[in-house]
Amino acid sequence: MRAVIYARVSTIMQEEGRSLEYQIKKCQDFCELKGYSVYKTFQDVESGGKDERVGFIDLQKEIEIKNFDILVVFESSRISRVTRTMLDFVFKLQTNDIKFVSISQPELDTTTHTGMLFFQIQASLGEYERKLTSSRVKTSKWQRVKEGNWQGGKMPLGYENTKDGIVIVEDESQIVRNIFEYYIATKSLGKTSKLFKKHISSIKWILSNEFYTGMFPFGRKENNINTGKVKIHDTPIEIFEGKHEAIIDKNTFNIVQEFLKIGRPCTLKGYILIFSGLIVCEHGKKMYKNSKNKKGNYFYYYRAHKCSCSLPSEDIEAKVIQELLKMEKLRDLRKNEVEIQKILFHINLLTDKLKEIDNRRKKYIDLYTNDIISNQELDSYIQKINKEKMDINNDIELQEKLLIELDTEGESEVLNTLEDVLANMEDMDRKEIQELFRLLIKKIELTSINPISLNVVLNI
């Protein structure tokens, strides 16, 4: 087999420390042991969070023309520190019938079915476990807010953070009071926005911020760790008594909240059945989601549309999970660096978000140049963008600190992780759990309905 070796370090200092030479030597020794002939060697001195690396690009060109049979690296993170890039890259190798081996991680040998399955499971679990890290970060912030400590970033209009604590800025606080009074009088975000020359989203944020009542809201802003998008919730997760003085009394604030609720749409997301399309009934028909509405309560079940087979979702899902966790084939699968990969993936998403913000900034400047928006509107947009960038940079700094802490963590069993995922599963997690099981399971053969008996066939 013709082999290509790829090696990478992040800095010139690492290169001078002969880390590249070490990686290449280890890969050459491996190829000699396996009887592979080394066709080419590519290398980069660049961060694994960046895809635009000269050696990496040249390597992908070689993949396109299929000049070799197997790619050998010292460890998988040399290819990329981004889970999404790594998965896409390995699938590209598969498409061109090129194998992948990480010599320091034997379980990531895609020349075997088990190795490829593990690689997919590892990446999918990394998606889920990002939530666990996010939860730990939120817990730390929650404790600080509970103690009345400001979390950093720009203070709300009307306040200033000093060495003596949070104090009111009188001129700005009067603007805040005027915003509340004018909105109550007009009940219009548009009119209030126009009068005070602030974007509607900024006006709504001021009007719905419990901080102005002397409270400390927590959890209003949510960073989606899968998409990098920031979502602002209508209400915070928790509200604590603050140490700062109120600008708005609670009665006025509550009146405004009632006005804000008027006309607000309410949507209901569909409930996910995690094994939909994977279960095959006794007659060989695939079973999909169905539901019944009984006096306003929905009941979900699996049903094969071309025959009469149907089962309650709770019963069949519990049975499949029970059988799955007993399977010996899963007990040999292990994961390495999932925590590290998840943080690197999150950092990459945040970096993409910064690029998107810079593009938005350019668009606003173009709008101003073409006299579509005023100078005041441009200033408002730029202030908002700068605040977003500050929040994202703070998040990146926090993730990098977590990365250092997690860098030395060892292995943990996939089954243990699966059990933890399933034990803490909520309705909002079911879509991600469904995608994980679609990687893991080829099909579920239902051999009996009463009692439920089934056979789980894995992708191995």
Side-chain angles (χ1 to χ4, degrees):
M1 297 181 70
R2 287 158 60 88
V4 162
I5 294 172
Y6 179 76
R8 180 189 63 79
V9 293
S10 299
T11 65
I12 294 294
M13 185 178 298
Q14 289 176 324
E15 182 186 24
E16 291 174 350
R18 311 187 77 175
S19 180
L20 275 177
E21 182 180 329
Y22 174 81
Q23 292 179 40
I24 294 171
K25 181 64 168 62
K26 287 292 184 182
C27 291
Q28 289 173 339
D29 291 345
F30 176 84
C31 290
E32 183 177 352
L33 179 66
K34 292 289 187 178
Y36 303 153
S37 62
V38 178
Y39 165 61
K40 276 186 181 181
T41 297
F42 297 97
Q43 61 187 45
D44 282 308
V45 181
E46 188 65 81
S47 168
K50 298 179 180 179
D51 292 342
E52 299 302 318
R53 290 169 265 141
V54 176
F56 188 53
I57 293 172
D58 290 342
L59 170 61
Q60 294 182 77
K61 291 178 181 177
E62 289 290 341
I63 293 172
E64 292 292 341
I65 56 180
K66 304 179 184 179
N67 272 343
F68 64 103
D69 306 298
I70 185 167
L71 173 64
V72 180
V73 299
F74 181 71
E75 62 178 1
S76 62
S77 63
R78 300 305 89 199
I79 293 294
S80 177
R81 285 283 192 179
V82 182
T83 303
R84 180 177 56 193
T85 299
M86 190 64 190
L87 276 177
D88 290 344
F89 181 79
V90 171
F91 288 140
K92 186 175 182 179
L93 290 175
Q94 281 191 312
T95 302
N96 290 280
D97 197 27
I98 297 172
K99 305 300 183 182
F100 172 79
V101 173
S102 170
I103 62 175
S104 64
Q105 300 160 293
E107 71 279 9
L108 296 187
D109 183 349
T110 64
T111 60
T112 68
H113 293 299
T114 302
M116 189 59 208
L117 173 62
F118 166 75
F119 194 91
Q120 293 173 308
I121 294 173
Q122 175 181 345
S124 186
L125 287 173
E127 295 286 334
Y128 184 86
E129 287 190 339
R130 271 193 300 280
K131 288 186 174 181
L132 302 182
T133 299
S134 177
S135 177
R136 289 196 292 270
V137 172
K138 287 177 181 177
T139 299
S140 175
K141 289 185 176 181
W142 180 87
Q143 186 61 37
R144 287 180 54 79
V145 171
K146 185 178 179 181
E147 295 169 357
N149 296 316
W150 181 245
Q151 293 301 295
K154 188 177 180 181
M155 290 292 297
L157 179 69
Y159 289 100
E160 182 181 8
N161 194 15
T162 70
K163 62 180 181 179
D164 298 321
I166 300 172
V167 298
I168 290 178
V169 180
E170 287 301 329
D171 292 341
E172 292 182 358
S173 66
Q174 189 55 51
I175 296 175
V176 173
R177 295 186 188 96
N178 292 342
I179 289 174
F180 274 79
E181 291 172 3
Y182 188 77
Y183 176 75
I184 290 175
T186 63
K187 303 179 183 62
S188 170
L189 288 171
K191 291 180 180 179
T192 308
S193 170
K194 186 175 181 180
L195 178 66
F196 292 94
K197 295 181 173 59
K198 292 183 178 294
H199 195 273
I200 286 180
S201 61
S202 298
I203 293 294
K204 188 174 180 181
W205 183 84
I206 291 172
L207 293 173
S208 59
N209 193 347
E210 293 85 355
F211 194 89
Y212 290 113
T213 67
M215 307 300 289
F216 240 125
F218 173 76
R220 182 182 295 278
K221 180 188 290 186
E222 177 186 11
N223 270 325
N224 188 311
I225 55 180
N226 294 315
T227 65
K229 294 182 179 180
V230 178
K231 181 179 181 181
I232 307 297
H233 295 287
D234 293 327
T235 57
I237 297 174
E238 189 87 36
I239 303 176
F240 301 102
E241 191 74 33
K243 299 176 182 177
H244 59 285
E245 185 180 351
I247 293 177
I248 303 298
D249 65 88
K250 292 185 178 180
N251 183 54
T252 299
F253 184 83
N254 290 335
I255 291 172
V256 168
Q257 304 321 297
E258 290 301 316
F259 288 152
L260 289 173
K261 289 179 182 178
I262 296 174
R264 184 174 298 161
C266 180
T267 59
L268 180 64
K269 294 184 177 180
Y271 186 77
I272 301 294
L273 297 192
I274 37 185
F275 301 115
S276 181
L278 289 176
I279 302 175
V280 179
C281 75
E282 297 173 278
H283 304 99
K285 307 298 182 182
K286 290 185 177 182
M287 303 182 75
Y288 296 94
K289 170 185 171 182
N290 266 267
S291 63
K292 292 181 181 179
N293 185 350
K294 294 183 179 180
K295 299 180 180 180
N297 294 318
Y298 279 89
F299 297 89
Y300 298 95
Y301 58 98
Y302 289 84
R303 181 175 183 272
H305 295 293
K306 295 183 179 180
C307 67
S308 58
C309 295
S310 66
L311 283 169
S313 61
E314 296 90 345
D315 296 345
I316 186 66
E317 288 181 357
K319 182 65 175 178
V320 172
I321 292 170
Q322 178 187 9
E323 293 299 316
L324 185 65
L325 294 178
K326 292 192 301 184
M327 298 185 73
E328 290 296 326
K329 285 185 178 181
L330 292 182
R331 299 192 179 275
D332 294 329
L333 296 178
R334 292 182 176 272
K335 67 179 181 68
N336 290 318
E337 300 183 341
V338 169
E339 290 280 357
I340 293 174
Q341 288 186 28
K342 65 164 186 189
I343 293 178
L344 290 166
F345 182 73
H346 184 34
I347 290 174
N348 186 67
L349 289 175
L350 292 173
T351 303
D352 289 343
K353 182 66 175 177
L354 287 175
K355 293 179 183 177
E356 186 271 331
I357 289 175
D358 286 336
N359 290 334
R360 267 198 289 144
R361 182 189 181 95
K362 293 177 183 177
K363 289 180 181 178
Y364 288 138
I365 293 174
D366 289 341
L367 291 174
Y368 172 69
T369 303
N370 294 318
D371 293 328
I372 297 175
I373 62 175
S374 67
N375 184 45
Q376 291 83 359
E377 289 174 314
L378 176 63
D379 288 342
S380 175
Y381 293 139
I382 297 301
Q383 287 179 14
K384 181 181 177 183
I385 285 173
N386 289 340
K387 184 179 185 304
E388 286 185 51
K389 290 187 70 172
M390 183 182 298
D391 291 341
I392 291 174
N393 282 321
N394 288 338
D395 197 358
I396 289 175
E397 183 179 348
L398 178 60
Q399 296 300 322
E400 288 174 343
K401 289 179 180 178
L402 287 173
L403 187 62
I404 295 173
E405 295 175 4
L406 295 171
D407 192 47
T408 57
E409 284 198 359
E411 297 180 342
S412 61
E413 293 186 3
V414 167
L415 276 183
N416 291 341
T417 308
L418 276 174
E419 289 171 351
D420 181 61
V421 167
L422 296 171
N424 296 284
M425 180 173 62
E426 301 176 358
D427 288 354
M428 62 183 290
D429 301 320
R430 293 181 69 86
K431 180 62 177 177
E432 294 178 27
I433 301 299
Q434 182 191 56
E435 292 173 356
L436 168 61
F437 280 125
R438 288 188 183 280
L439 290 174
L440 182 62
I441 299 172
K442 183 176 182 180
K443 64 179 177 178
I444 301 164
E445 300 171 332
L446 191 63
T447 56
S448 172
I449 292 181
N450 190 18
I452 297 176
S453 177
L454 51 87
N455 178 36
V456 180
V457 181
L458 299 180
N459 281 313
I460 297 180

